[in-house]
Amino acid sequence: MVGRNDPCSCGSGKKYKKCCLQHEVIQLAEVRYERAYERLLTELEPFCLQYKEEGLHAAIQFFGAEASPSLSESMAYAFLDWMIFNYRDFNGETLLERFLGEIPDLSGTEQEMVRSWIGSRPGVYRVRPATDGQVVLEDYLSGNEYRVRLQHGWPAPPPGDLLIGRIIPVGAGYHFGFDARSTKGEGEPAIRRVLEYELARMRLQQPAAGWPNLFAERWPIVREGIELALGTDCQVPPEVDGPASLGITCSPSGASPLEGEVAEVLVAYLLGAHLPQVSRTRAVRLWWDAAAALQPRSGKAEVWAAGVAYAFHHYALHDDMTQTLLADTIGVSVSSLAARARAIAGVLKLEVLDDRYADPLDPGVRLIQRLYWMNHTAAAVAPE
């Protein structure tokens, strides 16, 4: 044990004092956090890979319908990173939240760290000069700075580069998640255009969405758009067509009793149909958008709900649900369902895989966007 009159460990040659004691306590805490970080990353990978069905669904969302069994190591870790931190299951829960609830032997430090990771999101960062085994990253969109510790053997990305990926808090500082790659700063204009375009698309569903929402909920699309756009003189994307959704997910003030009853019947159907939380939310938004436009004051709630449900199946999910099957399920006539569905589709000007209501990670939507970005960047570099 070090005495107060013994030489100080800080190398100053002075006697051991209270400030140095505090310094050593901080160092011990950093060691504890480092060990927790390393153990958690080691445990998270096999924990998530045990969920085969979830992994398949997550892969379809991350890669579209073209997930290859032979991925590069960087792409495999990029997928793992998103699946752990941001993929949401049927009930809207992340695997990181499930990990916290199901692993009984996590230490207090590990539990604290996992909680701090919940809600994290990837991002785009400017690289600043590295110091003392750390690199300073400036959030490209907010301007906030983060000091990220480099792992042993990791080269520091050159200042001026852009880093694309995830950083997570570890004690007083930050570390990289599973997905982090750097690219030259010259790609900044192309990246910016991708981000602005995808945020405009997202605001068709969620008018109040900001950059954190985009990165947390649509990272597979953003990452792919950046990959396709880098290295090209990317043209400015056109503005997104169509009016935005109102973004309403619960009964607004002034809603009529009929409108509230329709929402209740619709939610009951969606739960019975075992649609995931994200789909249920989009279907409810479709109803409140339709209600604001049509202002229904008469008719049966079940008929209106059936019309909304069919419009959602046909235009947002684009699945094989038929009017006959849906009418039988909810208990209404096919003709009345069809009339309500036509009125809703007409007033909202719905299109198949409509960007306002479709799942942006749906393989069909992903394919449309992939073709858009491929054509978009190819046109930018096509010879005259």
Side-chain angles (χ1 to χ4, degrees), residues 42 113 139 157 281 293 330:
T42 301
M113 192 172 295
D139 190 299
T281 300
I330 297 181

Side-chain angles (χ1 to χ4, degrees), residues 125-130 135-138 140 156-163 182-188 191:
Y125 304 89
R126 292 186 181 91
V127 179
R128 299 306 187 199
V135 61
V136 178
L137 300 181
E138 177 190 345
Y140 174 64
D161 277 12
L162 295 175
L163 188 132
S182 61
T183 187
K184 297 298 181 184
E186 289 80 1
E188 181 175 335
I191 291 175

Side-chain angles (χ1 to χ4, degrees), residues 61-382:
Q61 289 193 339
F62 189 84
F63 298 103
E66 302 176 5
S68 169
S70 56
L71 296 173
S72 66
E73 184 178 24
S74 63
M75 282 303 296
Y77 275 113
F79 165 64
L80 179 66
D81 181 275
W82 181 78
M83 179 180 172
I84 290 172
F85 291 94
N86 293 115
Y87 165 76
R88 293 190 177 274
D89 63 15
F90 175 85
N91 295 313
E93 185 179 44
T94 66
L95 293 184
L96 190 63
E97 292 167 328
R98 192 181 295 180
F99 177 81
L100 183 62
E102 294 184 9
I103 303 301
D105 61 341
L106 294 177
S107 69
T109 299
E110 290 167 343
Q111 292 181 37
E112 173 193 340
M113 192 172 295
V114 172
R115 289 191 185 98
S116 73
W117 293 353
I118 293 173
S120 75
R121 48 84 173 171
V124 178
Y125 304 89
R126 292 186 181 91
V127 179
R128 299 306 187 199
T131 58
D132 300 327
Q134 295 183 337
V135 61
V136 178
L137 300 181
E138 177 190 345
D139 190 299
Y140 174 64
L141 297 166
S142 72
N144 295 333
E145 288 192 351
Y146 304 90
R147 293 186 176 273
V148 184
R149 185 177 297 277
L150 297 170
Q151 295 297 96
H152 296 298
W154 281 36
D161 277 12
L162 295 175
L163 188 132
I164 303 163
R166 185 186 307 274
I167 59 173
I168 49 180
V170 177
Y174 291 82
H175 277 323
F176 292 114
F178 288 99
D179 181 24
R181 55 153 294 190
S182 61
T183 187
K184 297 298 181 184
E186 289 80 1
E188 181 175 335
I191 291 175
R192 183 79 193 194
R193 288 166 187 147
V194 170
L195 298 181
E196 290 175 347
Y197 178 68
E198 292 301 341
L199 183 60
R201 285 185 65 215
M202 186 174 191
R203 284 177 172 168
L204 286 175
Q205 291 197 7
Q206 304 175 42
W211 300 118
N213 306 100
L214 178 69
F215 290 139
E217 299 177 32
R218 301 197 178 193
W219 183 247
I221 304 169
V222 171
R223 196 182 192 282
E224 184 174 59
I226 290 173
E227 292 287 338
L228 291 170
L230 281 176
T232 68
D233 185 17
C234 187
Q235 297 174 344
V236 178
E239 293 185 3
V240 181
D241 294 329
S245 166
L246 298 175
I248 298 173
T249 57
C250 58
S251 181
S253 61
S256 70
L258 173 61
E259 292 170 354
E261 189 179 351
V262 172
E264 292 177 2
V265 175
L266 177 63
V267 170
Y269 163 74
L270 297 168
L271 288 169
H274 302 291
L275 291 176
Q277 184 189 51
V278 291
S279 294
R280 300 196 300 267
T281 300
R282 291 186 177 95
V284 170
R285 283 198 293 99
L286 192 155
W287 163 239
W288 289 118
D289 289 347
L294 293 170
Q295 298 183 349
R297 293 294 181 266
S298 62
K300 293 184 177 180
E302 290 78 9
V303 175
W304 279 108
V308 177
Y310 181 74
F312 184 72
H313 275 286
H314 183 72
Y315 293 102
L317 300 181
H318 197 46
D319 58 15
D320 57 359
M321 175 61 71
T322 65
Q323 291 184 350
T324 300
L325 178 57
L326 189 54
D328 289 343
T329 301
I330 297 181
V332 299
S333 70
V334 175
S335 59
S336 59
L337 177 155
R340 297 306 190 198
R342 282 195 303 271
I344 292 166
V347 75
L348 295 180
K349 297 181 172 57
L350 296 177
E351 297 180 354
V352 171
L353 295 178
D354 196 298
D355 249 349
R356 292 168 292 176
Y357 307 106
D359 180 358
L361 301 179
D362 176 271
V365 180
R366 293 291 302 280
L367 178 59
I368 293 171
Q369 287 306 115
R370 183 179 296 133
L371 292 173
Y372 168 78
W373 280 115
M374 290 176 67
N375 293 335
H376 185 63
T377 55
V381 296

